[in-house]
Structures are given as C-alpha cells and as structure tokens.
Amino acid sequence: MLDRLSTVLGKMAAWLTLVMVFVTFVIVVMRYVFDAGLIWLQETVIWMHAFVFMVGAAYTLQKDEHVRVDIFYRKMSSRGRALVDLLGVLIFLLPLCVFLGWKAFDFVALSFRMHEASRESGGLPYPLIPLLKAILLVMPITVGLQGLAMALQSLRSLRGR
Amino acid sequence: MEWVAALLFLTVIVVLLAGFPVAFSLGGIALLFAWFGVLGGVFNEALLSGLPNRIFGIMTNETLVAVPLFVFMGITLERARIADELLETMSALFGSLRGGLGISVTLVGMLLAASTGIVGATVVTMGLLSLPTMLKRGYSPEVAAGTICASGTLGQIIPPSIILVMLGDVMTTAYQQAQLDMGIFSPKTVSVGDLFAGALVPGLLLVLLYVLYILGLAFFRPATMPAHHREQDERVSFIRVLRALVPPLLLILAVLGSILAGFATPTEAAGVGAMGALLMAAVRQQLDLERLQEIMRGTLRISSMVFLILIGASIFSLVFRGYGGDDGVRAVLEALPGGVVGAVVVVMLVMFLLGFVLDFIEITFVVVPIVGPVLLAMGLDPVWLGIMIAINLQTSFLTPPFGFALFYLRGVAPPSITTAQIYRGAMPFVAIQLLALLLLAAFPALVTWLPDRIYGG
C-alpha cells in the first residue's frame, strides 16, 4: 500500500522533468529571440525542480536508489542487509523525518499567515509560494511512510528464517 | 566541544560503512548528536530551528537547477543508444589502427560518461559498452580494464558534468565565506562557468596523456592491443560516420561553448542540451513512450538522490559547526608545518583516503564546505582548488585496492578477468593522474589561464 503511494507520486512527478526541459527551452527562446525575461516562468522551473526531488524522494527510496556506501553491504547476507535497513530506518530515517516534519510545519504555517509572495517583482503571487513551501512537509511525510514500509519488509525477512 | 565535532565526523564514516543510504545516515546521525548536545546543555537548540529555511534554500538554489537538466540530457543520450553508436563508429573508423579502439574508448568516455555523477554508474556503463569488444579484439585484459576505468571516471570531471556544477556551487559559498572571514566585504565571486573553463585544459591534458600512453603501449608492446583486421561487411560508410559523430559532438560543443562564451547560464545550456538530446533521439527513432518514461524516472531518481544527500549534508554541517568543528579544522590546518602547501597536501591526502569510502557527491557536499573556506582564506585560487580536488578524487577512485571504479568494473567484468589484472591495468593511469596533479601544482596557470582569458580574471 505504502509502496503504491510512493510509486504513483514518483511517476507523476517524473513528468515534470520533461516539462522542465521544455519550459527552460522556452525561456531561452523568449530571452534570446524575443528579448523577454519571464521571471515567473523561471521561478516555475525552480519550483518544478524542487517538487521533483522532494516528492520523488520516497519513490527513489522504494527503488533503493539513494546511494549507499556498499563496500560491505554488497557482501552481506540478506539477513544482514535487512538488519542494517531496519536499524537505519528506526535510528536515523524516522527520527529525521519526524523532526523535519515538525519543524517544517511551523515554517509553512508562518508563510501562510504572512500571505507570502515572491520577493522578485514579476514573480509568483501569494497563494502559490506557501503552497509550494508545503513541499517541505510532503517530503518527510512520504519518505517517513516509505521508510516504515521498508522497516516492515526488513522485519518480515528477518523473521522469515 | 570540538572533540564532539571530530567524534561526529568519525561516527559518520563508520556508520556509512554499514551501508544504510547516505542521505538519511548523514542527517540522522547529526540530529542524534544535536539532540544529545541539547539534553546535555552544550548545543544551542536555536540552531536547529533554522533547518527548514536551509532546506528551502536548497530547494530554490538556482545554480543547481542545472543538475536535473544535465542528468536528463545524459540519460537521453545513453538510452537512445547514441553512446553505443558513437563507440561503434569510432572503433570501426580507428579500429584498424593499432591502439585505435583504446583511443576510441577514451574519447567516448570523455564525451559521454558525465551524466550521472555516480562513479559506479559511469564505469558500469563504459564497462558494459566497451569491455566485451576490447576483449574480443584481443586487447590484454589489463589494458582494457585500465582504459575503461580511467576514461569512465575522467568523464566526470570534463565539462559539462554535474560534478562540476555541484562543486562550483559549493565553491561559490566557500569563497564568499573565506573573503568575509578575511574582512573583504565586496567579495569576488566564482561561478560554475569558471569551473567549467578551468576544467577544460586539465581535462584535455589528461586525455592527451592517456592517448599518448595507449599509443606508446601500441608501439612498444604491440601484443597487448592487436590491430583489428577489418572484414568487408564491417566497412562503415562516410555518411554513417557523419550521422553518428556529428550530432552528439555538436550538441556537447554547443552546450559547453555557450556557457564558456557567456551566452547562456549552465541551467539554460543544460535545458537546451536536453532538448537537443531529445530531438536527436526522436530523429533516430529511439524515442517511444516507454523509453521517455525511463528517462524521466531515471532523472527523477538521480536528482532526488543527489539533493537528499545535499539536505543530509547540510544538516551534518550545521551540527558540525554548532560544535565548533570548523574552528577546529581551521586550527589544525593553520598549525600544519609548511603553511599553505602543507595544508593543501594534508587536505588532498585526507580526501584521497575518503575517496575510498565516499563518492564525489558526498565529498563535495560534506567535506569541501568544511575545508574550502579555510584553504581559500589562505589565498588559494578557488578554481584551481576545485579542479585539484576533482582530479585528486578521480585518482582516488582509480587506485587499487580500494578505488570505487575498480570495484564496479569487477562487477561487470567476465570471471575470466582476474581482479589482479584490473589492478595492474589501473596502475599506469594512476601514475598519469599523479603526474597531472604535480603539473597543475607546479603550473597553476594550466587551470587558471582559460577562465582568466574568458572572464577577465
């Protein structure tokens, strides 16, 4: 179930990489051909980029593509790996996600209260900036859930034998 | 409390060896250390409140938007079989020369291996791509393995590469901080473009040295790399050569050229480059929905991997600083005998050793922000320092018995090749790397000349 959530989110966010390429291309064309700088469009690219790596983090975790130092991990038995993953999630990943989520909550709430808009003139208007800042909350929640799934799976393979 | 910072650093290294993903280990360990510090009344809790803002800074860092775009470009070139075709045509073109295939592998590695920033991935790609052909054509396993490892890692430091984008961003911050520390309040800046320009001459120098070495081997030890006798059906038409060679070369030259000439920011150039790569893939009819999805998802995963390490590393350096670790490092480096030279030598040695355990990305985000400001405050040129770090790390990845590149090549090499053969093959290239490092140390102008010419010092 949790795996599905990460996968769906990740695959959706992946389309944004293509959109980023197109939009950057459009920005370049506008700037060099029509001499028009579009600040809001540039900000959009930055936000898509942030969305991609923050929302894609859980999917990347599910696919096991967050880099590991695998000199020893590679040679461990599947039990050993499961143990490393279980402990890693419990000691590092979950506390980190809980802490980040807690701190980010205040941060995002403040932005909503202040009706924050882009500091650049011609940038993105009010309701967008706090909404985008909310990505900061999405990452710890989704990664935390995926971490939970990972821990359960490790536990299963530890008990399996 | 500097000993706590040192303990934190050591703990990180030890824990990372267990194999849990780097990004979460870095952040998690640092957080635990901070938590114990707060409980014990030795760590300022207010420091941690700035964390969301720091992460927000990473999310909105304009320079680093170039990373996913370059990754997109690289993966597209790779998945659209453009690298394969390039290697095939070049080896068909030069294969009948003695050493020609080896040189082709070096050149293709230089052009196309830069897309991911992960040493393992590039060496694996190069290994799968060229090892079977080299062995089939009778190259000695040593020569084949050495050439592949060396050119696979070299691609990472030849612009446009995402390693240089990341290193450039870290150097920018370090340079500003160093100048503020020195009391200069209108600091000079260093950009990703500077680093690209600075990497060009040393990168080409390395390619030249590799090629000379391969030619030398071909001349003095012809048995290690027999010439390939071309059969009739393997002849390549001139048109095919043009079709395979010209578009990717043009694309890379255009991307690099527009950055160096100052026409475009790295982000813009990367966006246009990615677009160009997509068009090339489409023209070659190598692009369907499935492949496009592979490209997009691959980009997302690499990008997420890179930036979560950056987030983890920034939590780490926050806590490391909180315990006064940066002052400790400064005190140690300034107390070393030999002044700047001594400090550089020690830092390079430490990074070389860390390179056995950590990849480029981790060292760039974790170690460079700590030592960079101190070294730069001693008056070193930021571009020179960046390139020295890059080549030093590349050497580390190649050095037996712990070098990353060798491990990964071992993983994809057939069992008939022994590990000892891979080690022996890498040694001459390590020697070449060391020679290059010495040359750059003796003649810093090799690095700084081009950026100075382009950007006017």
Side-chain angles (χ1 to χ4, degrees):
Chain A
M1 231 296 277
L2 294 173
D3 280 357
R4 285 277 300 279
L5 177 73
S6 307
T7 311
V8 169
L9 279 176
K11 287 183 177 172
M12 274 178 6
W15 281 95
L16 282 181
T17 60
L18 184 65
V19 182
M20 280 174 70
V21 171
F22 284 137
V23 174
T24 310
F25 185 73
V26 169
I27 290 174
V28 173
V29 171
M30 292 302 278
R31 186 136 136 234
Y32 294 97
V33 182
F34 300 105
D35 204 19
L38 300 171
I39 289 178
W40 64 270
L41 208 55
Q42 277 171 342
E43 286 192 347
T44 316
V45 175
I46 296 179
W47 284 113
M48 282 192 277
H49 160 61
F51 192 89
V52 164
F53 74 78
M54 294 293 270
V55 175
Y59 171 59
T60 310
L61 183 63
Q62 194 232 324
K63 288 268 172 191
D64 195 19
E65 289 204 19
H66 283 294
V67 157
R68 301 167 182 269
V69 176
D70 61 355
I71 320 178
F72 299 118
Y73 188 82
R74 210 166 5 150
K75 293 177 187 153
M76 287 179 195
S77 63
S78 57
R79 260 183 98 77
R81 292 184 187 185
L83 193 66
V84 167
D85 284 350
L86 180 65
L87 290 179
V89 170
L90 292 181
I91 304 176
F92 304 133
L93 191 142
L94 282 181
L96 183 68
C97 288
V98 169
F99 182 79
L100 283 182
W102 169 49
K103 287 285 173 191
F105 186 79
D106 294 342
F107 184 71
V108 177
L110 184 71
S111 171
F112 271 108
R113 275 202 303 277
M114 293 191 335
H115 285 241
E116 188 178 2
S118 170
R119 259 170 272 170
E120 307 273 342
S121 66
L124 294 171
Y126 157 65
L128 287 176
I129 299 290
L131 273 181
L132 291 168
K133 275 192 174 176
I135 301 171
L136 215 61
L137 265 173
V138 175
M139 191 277 275
I141 294 173
T142 52
V143 169
L145 288 176
Q146 184 60 44
L148 218 53
M150 192 171 156
L152 289 176
Q153 203 181 10
S154 310
L155 208 58
R156 260 203 301 275
S157 65
L158 277 176
R159 287 170 113 192
R161 260 168 251 182
Chain B
M1 298 311 279
E2 283 152 16
W3 64 272
V4 183
L7 186 67
L8 169 63
F9 189 79
L10 287 178
T11 314
V12 162
I13 300 288
V14 172
V15 170
L16 283 182
L17 287 175
F20 194 67
V22 173
F24 308 111
S25 306
L26 272 174
I29 297 166
L31 209 57
L32 282 183
F33 267 74
W35 187 56
F36 282 124
V38 171
L39 287 186
V42 289
F43 191 85
N44 183 358
E45 198 184 347
L47 277 178
L48 291 177
S49 303
L51 214 49
N53 214 9
R54 282 189 146 222
I55 299 177
F56 188 64
I58 294 170
M59 287 163 61
T60 50
N61 182 320
E62 274 188 85
T63 315
L64 293 179
V65 179
V67 170
L69 295 171
F70 273 131
V71 172
F72 194 103
M73 173 175 121
I75 297 188
T76 309
L77 290 178
E78 188 193 307
R79 292 287 151 87
R81 311 229 147 270
I82 287 163
D84 302 32
E85 208 182 326
L86 200 58
L87 187 70
E88 248 170 55
T89 344
M90 278 179 102
S91 58
L93 205 60
F94 299 126
S96 55
L97 293 172
R98 211 169 265 292
L101 180 59
I103 293 173
S104 309
V105 169
T106 308
L107 295 180
V108 173
M110 162 187 119
L111 287 174
L112 290 177
S115 61
T116 62
I118 317 163
V119 175
T122 50
V123 172
V124 166
T125 312
M126 288 296 295
L128 292 174
L129 208 64
S130 39
L131 190 59
T133 321
M134 292 179 94
L135 294 178
K136 205 170 64 198
R137 301 246 176 116
Y139 272 59
S140 83
E142 283 93 344
V143 174
T147 311
I148 290 170
C149 286
S151 46
T153 50
L154 181 66
Q156 296 215 309
I157 60 168
I158 294 209
S161 84
I162 70 161
I163 290 295
L164 291 178
V165 176
M166 299 187 281
L167 198 57
D169 186 64
V170 172
M171 275 291 167
T172 310
T173 320
Y175 194 40
Q176 272 170 357
Q177 199 190 332
Q179 294 181 88
L180 281 179
D181 290 349
M182 288 190 289
I184 303 171
F185 288 101
S186 54
K188 283 188 285 187
T189 57
V190 51
S191 70
V192 174
D194 290 319
L195 228 60
F196 276 17
L200 203 59
V201 174
L204 293 178
L205 175 78
L206 278 170
V207 171
L208 183 72
L209 290 173
Y210 287 5
V211 169
L212 284 178
Y213 167 69
I214 293 172
L215 284 178
L217 265 189
F219 190 73
F220 291 109
R221 297 251 183 84
T224 57
M225 42 175 83
H228 180 61
H229 295 291
R230 195 183 279 169
E231 284 140 40
Q232 199 58 33
D233 57 330
E234 284 183 85
R235 285 202 104 88
V236 283
S237 67
F238 185 63
I239 301 289
R240 199 184 139 213
V241 173
L242 277 187
R243 207 177 94 95
L245 274 182
V246 174
L249 274 180
L250 267 185
L251 183 73
I252 287 168
L253 285 181
V255 167
L256 190 57
S258 60
I259 298 172
L260 293 185
F263 288 147
T265 64
T267 305
E268 291 170 339
V272 175
M275 194 72 183
L278 271 181
L279 285 180
M280 270 167 59
V283 166
R284 280 161 201 242
Q285 296 177 333
Q286 292 282 4
L287 198 67
D288 50 24
L289 184 63
E290 198 184 330
R291 195 161 281 162
L292 183 63
Q293 280 180 333
E294 272 174 35
I295 294 171
M296 295 186 309
R297 287 170 197 169
T299 308
L300 171 123
R301 292 198 295 266
I302 290 177
S303 174
S304 195
M305 179 274 288
V306 169
F307 284 92
L308 280 175
I309 292 180
L310 180 52
I311 290 175
S314 83
I315 301 174
F316 168 83
S317 47
L318 186 77
V319 177
F320 188 81
R321 291 226 165 88
Y323 279 115
D326 49 345
D327 295 328
V329 169
R330 171 170 304 127
V332 168
L333 286 180
E334 281 172 354
L336 286 173
V340 191
V341 180
V344 172
V345 171
V346 169
V347 167
M348 289 295 167
L349 271 179
V350 171
M351 282 193 180
F352 186 83
L353 294 177
L354 285 176
F356 290 154
V357 200
L358 302 180
D359 208 334
F360 236 125
I361 308 169
E362 290 99 291
I363 295 183
T364 306
F365 289 148
V366 175
V367 184
V368 179
I370 298 173
V371 293
V374 184
L375 289 181
L376 293 177
M378 292 175 166
L380 290 174
D381 182 277
V383 179
W384 180 81
L385 184 62
I387 303 304
M388 287 295 278
I389 291 174
I391 297 182
N392 179 27
L393 284 178
Q394 192 217 336
T395 314
S396 165
F397 300 147
L398 272 180
T399 304
F402 296 115
F404 261 135
L406 311 172
F407 270 114
Y408 284 102
L409 187 68
R410 171 72 276 171
V412 291
S416 63
I417 294 190
T418 66
T419 307
Q421 282 173 325
I422 297 181
Y423 288 177
R424 274 203 301 276
M427 285 314 287
F429 287 96
V430 174
I432 292 177
Q433 295 288 124
L434 293 176
L435 174 69
L437 276 173
L438 285 177
L439 279 175
L440 298 189
F443 308 103
L446 284 171
V447 178
T448 53
W449 177 79
L450 192 62
D452 283 354
R453 281 300 294 270
I454 295 177
Y455 302 103

